[in-house]
Amino acid sequence: MSSPAERYAAARRRAAQASAFPALDEFSRDLGFDLDDFQREACEALERGSGVLVCAPTGAGKTVVGEFAVHLALREAPAGDGPAVRRKCFYTTPIKALSNQKYHDLVDRYGAEQVGLLTGDNAINGDAPVVVMTTEVLRNMLYAGSATLEGLAYVVMDEVHYLADRFRGGVWEEVIIHLPESVTLVSLSATVSNAEEFADWLVTVRGETTVVVSEHRPVPLWQHMLVGKRMFDLFHDADAARKHDVHPELLRYTRDTTRRLELGEGRSAGPGGGRRGPRWRGPMRPDIVDRLDREGLLPAILFIFSRAGCQAAVQQCLAAGLRLTSAEERAEIREVVESRITAIPGEDLTVLGYWEWLDGLERGLAAHHAGMLPAFKEVVEELFVRGLVKAVFATETLALGINMPARCVVLERLVKFNGEAHVDLTPGEYTQLTGRAGRRGIDVEGHAVVVWSPETDPRHVAGLASTRTYPLRSSFRPSYNMAVNLVGSVGAEPARALLESSFAQFQADRSVVGLARQVQRNTETIEAYGAEAACHQGDFDEYFALRVAIADRERAIARQGQTQRKAAAVASLERLRVGDVIRVPSGRRAGLAVVLDPATGGFGEPRPLVLTQDRWAGRVSPGDFTTPAEVLTRIRVPKHFNHRSPAARRDLAAAVSGTGLDRHSGRRGGRSRQAVGEDHRLSQLRVELRGHPCHACPEREEHARWAERRRRLERDTEELRERVSGRTGSLARTFDRIVALLTARGYLATDGEVTDAGRMLARIWTEADLLVAECLRRRVWDGLSPAELAAAVSVVVFEARRDLDERASLPRGAVGDAVDETLKLWGDIEADEAARGLTVTREPDLGFAWPIYRWARGEALAKVLASGHQIDGEMPAGDFVRWARQVVDLLGQIADSGGASTELRATARQAISAVNRGVLAYHASA
């Protein structure tokens, strides 16, 4: 127990902190737990008026800092002697599920009247002082100059490391660059190794920014490997983990297992080597879950990087008879499920696999992946957080999403499919996945288990586990929509300057600094080499230039001679006839040969079939002849000569030898020095070289060596300069090309003003923004019915998970015509982009046209999912809902577009109503 003096000193410290940071004292009193050092440091910086960048592991409690920004905004700030000014805080997240979760958390704390939610699906109390939103919503507000931005004091960017995402990351940078200077930015990130670099950039674009980095996990994480039925610690202790030293017993056991497998495979292959040996069969998924249950490591998330794998894992556990819940828990699970799915029509439940899903939930088992119906996923998340579902088989999308911590995380493999290829997990991805293990305030420690296979090296796992951070790399790229918005809001030249202030350009310029230093060092070295090459007899640079010119001329003549010799050889082989005796000048087949088949009249080089006097029969090519093939004599070749018959070859080879011709010619093939010497320019250069004063210098060759080193270094330095110029201002150059294309197509005027078409483009938020704008301008979608319009616009938003060879079919009639016109416009845009060196707009994908067409016509969900253009059967319900939401989003933009006809806007609204039914209606209101 502490002494009275120590308690008094601690009380004095708390009082001093409370007086220095009254808002933080007020905030922390309601938390129910003491702030960690990094949380207090970040909150104090915020209260001082500084922006903050907080980098800490998953589950460390970064969001407390964001919630403190909310608290600061809700404390009314007096404006001089007048009334209090109402301040706002926007809390942005990368995904809707996270926005929904954060909205409910803040409503629980501050009340529904103080908190709003704005996502693509929901708009609740958007004028509240605290609004939770996806980052895209804030970006759109900034470009539109929304009145909602008035009074904005704080913006929290949760998961700001998302700016490395190659598809959506650029939005984060757009927001950071365009936020008014008066707004204080709170950036919350996973641990990244270049936090200082990111903070340096934030300082340049946002002003004062305090960096707070914490590597400490509040719940310690223990790493394990499961080898067959044995579980091993990856590291012996914390010291070994720091040094990446794998547990010796684990290394020994995996080596022995691998050796046994290899020996077993060698034995079973047999003398023919045809049959494979025994394959490694790791632990079954039900056995893994049962093992975790027995060792008290549930609830657990088992990451399987395949949707089908997640579903199969649940089925395997059900088939094995696993049951992880009590009777009371099963009743509670059924009550939660039935209350959540009432809005889904009964006829759709069977199609969605509802009964199998419910059976798994009641046993404490579930899958979680993007192919699931969003309503089902939300139920799984709620039940897992409440501790009712004990084992979830998930794809990596869960790791980037909502707050779903577990006691244990299992990684079945360390390889995942990224949409294009199977790739190894990065240290950052490994950290993100295993970061879910260990629930703060519940678990004393978290556990991460990697399932071993012969391809998994424990030392590789140790490297992943020990590399706690990864670098943040910008994915920012200018787009058409961004260009017209920037030019419209600030003008073309300031827009270029804004792009050059992006993190992407900041990183490019930083990399240029190293290259520029190398150029400077090389330049100094070149000068030193020049001094060493200096000659007292004359200008050695001039003399060395003559030597270089002679060497270049000789190489050019040699290449020219080689080309001429090859052409002569080709011509001579084309003239050969059956029975001609020639001499092959070099190679393994050198000597006399008789032509069996001239092989003329085809495409490519002539390759006559010959028989040598050594009885070899085969085809020769121009490459075998350093000089033209010369016919020495002729002999008779039998009419039906069979070159595969040894006796026939022997008799004809004897006839070749019987000609009495010499096997080898007197003159060897090769380059003629005389031919080289006959070149007039070369002769002139040699005369100039011999007449130069430096030619007589006794140290001539020493000078030449230094001059040659200087020449090579000059060449390398020039390449470095080109790389520097390529990186410097690269975004601005891309922007200039985009502006030129938009000007040529009438979206920008020649004086830099945004045209009516440009203003329409500025309100289109989709990857194929220019293609959509062109379709609206050319009235491609006018005259379609609501279902036809939904199908036609789907081709510009949908993207299949796998490339399919054949083109998807389309509904007959007007839809096909509209899609054909869309494809023609895409072809024009693609050609225009390619001519200007721009990234090509993705080709429209027809794979979603039938499902959305049928759905908008009111057909049953089973029929709709079966009509998807998929490799592996029907379309997953989750994919259908996600793409349908994107179609609805684009239809909403068309309905609000000033560039669309009145008729088309009305049809778009009807199409939205037609699509928002059944499972979509639930999702829209959830």
Side-chain angles (χ1 to χ4, degrees), residues 614-841:
D614 297 327
R615 304 181 191 176
W616 175 82
R619 296 196 178 275
V620 290
S621 69
D624 296 316
F625 293 82
T626 51
T627 56
E630 183 184 351
V631 179
L632 305 173
T633 186
R634 286 179 59 77
I635 63 172
R636 182 181 169 280
V637 176
K639 190 167 184 182
H640 300 293
F641 180 78
N642 180 7
H643 68 274
R644 290 188 176 85
S645 163
R649 286 204 308 270
R650 183 189 62 221
D651 294 344
L652 191 57
V656 172
S657 299
T659 59
L661 294 168
D662 186 8
R663 186 183 182 89
H664 300 290
S665 66
R667 180 171 61 85
R668 294 283 180 193
R671 287 191 301 174
S672 166
R673 293 296 301 171
Q674 183 185 0
V676 174
E678 285 168 1
D679 182 72
H680 174 70
R681 176 61 186 147
L682 189 58
S683 302
Q684 188 181 1
L685 286 169
R686 284 183 173 147
V687 169
E688 288 179 32
L689 184 78
R690 286 193 290 271
H692 197 282
C694 292
H695 193 64
C697 177
E699 297 177 348
R700 180 185 70 196
E701 292 310 309
E702 182 65 18
H703 295 325
R705 276 193 289 276
W706 285 109
E708 177 60 25
R709 286 176 191 160
R710 182 178 66 173
R711 186 171 78 95
R712 286 179 184 163
L713 194 57
E714 281 172 341
R715 192 171 57 221
D716 294 344
T717 306
E718 192 52 43
E719 285 178 10
L720 285 175
R721 285 198 180 101
E722 285 174 9
R723 284 168 65 190
V724 168
S725 65
R727 293 186 190 183
T728 306
S730 52
L731 283 178
R733 280 197 297 279
T734 303
F735 177 73
D736 290 342
R737 290 170 190 158
I738 286 174
V739 166
L741 187 149
L742 291 174
T743 304
R745 286 181 170 265
Y747 293 92
L748 295 172
T750 49
D751 61 358
E753 290 296 310
V754 179
T755 63
D756 288 341
R759 279 186 279 279
M760 174 186 69
L761 174 58
R763 293 293 164 265
I764 295 170
W765 313 99
T766 182
E767 193 184 340
D769 45 15
L770 182 58
L771 180 56
V772 171
E774 288 287 295
C775 287
L776 290 174
R777 288 176 79 190
R778 308 293 173 88
R779 303 286 185 243
V780 169
W781 296 325
D782 283 24
L784 298 175
S785 70
E788 288 170 341
L789 178 61
V793 303
S794 76
V795 304
V796 298
V797 296
F798 179 70
E799 186 175 7
R801 293 181 70 225
R802 302 279 196 281
D803 287 335
L804 299 176
D805 293 334
E806 74 276 9
R807 172 174 157 160
S809 62
L810 289 167
R812 288 181 184 173
V815 177
D817 296 339
V819 170
D820 285 343
E821 193 58 36
T822 303
L823 287 167
K824 270 187 212 163
L825 289 175
W826 169 76
D828 292 343
I829 292 171
E830 183 198 35
D832 209 348
E833 288 174 327
R836 296 174 192 273
L838 288 167
T839 304
V840 177
T841 300

Side-chain angles (χ1 to χ4, degrees), residues 382-415:
E382 182 181 344
L383 294 175
F384 190 80
V385 169
R386 286 168 66 168
L388 297 170
V389 164
K390 318 288 185 180
V392 168
F393 298 94
T395 56
E396 77 276 12
T397 51
L398 184 145
L400 297 169
I402 52 111
N403 181 27
M404 244 177 93
R407 180 168 295 162
C408 177
V409 163
V410 178
L411 297 178
E412 191 175 76
R413 297 178 69 208
L414 296 177
V415 175

Side-chain angles (χ1 to χ4, degrees), residues 276-555:
R276 287 187 59 80
R279 290 178 59 227
W280 167 256
R281 286 185 178 81
M284 303 295 286
R285 289 159 178 165
D287 295 340
I288 294 174
V289 175
D290 186 50
R291 170 96 184 241
L292 296 176
D293 187 27
R294 282 187 283 109
E295 297 197 9
L297 293 179
L298 296 179
I301 300 171
L302 297 93
F303 285 108
I304 299 171
F305 303 118
S306 149
R307 296 175 178 188
C310 293
Q311 293 295 144
V314 175
Q315 294 305 316
Q316 289 158 12
C317 291
L318 294 179
L322 270 186
R323 188 180 293 281
L324 306 171
T325 52
S326 64
E328 294 78 16
E329 287 173 329
R330 287 196 290 281
E332 193 177 343
I333 287 167
R334 185 174 277 272
E335 186 183 327
V336 170
V337 171
E338 288 175 351
S339 68
R340 295 289 183 275
I341 55 91
T342 50
I344 300 174
E347 67 270 16
D348 290 345
L349 291 178
T350 304
V351 180
L352 296 168
Y354 169 76
W355 302 107
E356 296 86 348
W357 173 68
L358 179 59
D359 186 24
L361 291 178
E362 289 187 342
R363 296 189 191 204
L365 301 158
H368 187 288
H369 56 76
M372 288 172 64
L373 190 70
F376 285 14
K377 275 201 303 183
E378 289 162 20
V379 170
V380 170
E381 290 158 6
E382 182 181 344
L383 294 175
F384 190 80
V385 169
R386 286 168 66 168
L388 297 170
V389 164
K390 318 288 185 180
V392 168
F393 298 94
T395 56
E396 77 276 12
T397 51
L398 184 145
L400 297 169
I402 52 111
N403 181 27
M404 244 177 93
R407 180 168 295 162
C408 177
V409 163
V410 178
L411 297 178
E412 191 175 76
R413 297 178 69 208
L414 296 177
V415 175
K416 68 167 190 170
F417 186 74
N418 68 356
E420 295 169 0
H422 286 90
V423 295
D424 291 337
L425 284 184
T426 65
E429 288 165 337
Y430 184 89
T431 302
Q432 192 91 33
L433 295 166
T434 56
R436 295 273 164 204
R439 298 163 297 173
R440 188 168 191 175
I442 302 173
D443 298 324
V444 178
E445 57 193 27
H447 297 268
V449 179
V450 175
V451 179
W452 182 84
S453 68
E455 300 80 38
T456 310
D457 185 346
R459 286 164 299 194
H460 173 61
V461 181
L464 289 173
S466 305
T467 310
R468 291 286 298 281
T469 61
Y470 56 100
L472 196 58
R473 292 277 171 257
S474 172
S475 59
F476 182 76
R477 297 291 178 272
S479 68
Y480 298 114
N481 170 283
M482 186 194 301
V484 289
N485 274 302
L486 282 174
V487 172
S489 57
V490 299
E493 277 309 309
R496 285 178 99 255
L498 272 174
L499 284 176
E500 289 181 332
S501 67
S502 68
F503 187 45
Q505 194 59 58
F506 185 82
Q507 287 191 310
D509 291 344
R510 281 231 167 159
S511 68
V512 161
V513 169
L515 294 176
R517 283 193 188 129
Q518 187 61 48
V519 167
Q520 181 60 37
R521 284 196 293 269
N522 285 6
T523 305
E524 291 167 5
T525 307
I526 286 166
E527 289 174 8
Y529 287 174
E532 291 291 343
C535 178
H536 65 283
Q537 302 240 15
D539 185 347
F540 200 84
D541 288 349
E542 189 178 82
Y543 176 76
F544 187 72
L546 285 170
R547 287 176 67 138
V548 171
I550 288 169
D552 289 346
R553 185 67 183 165
E554 285 178 341
R555 274 195 295 272

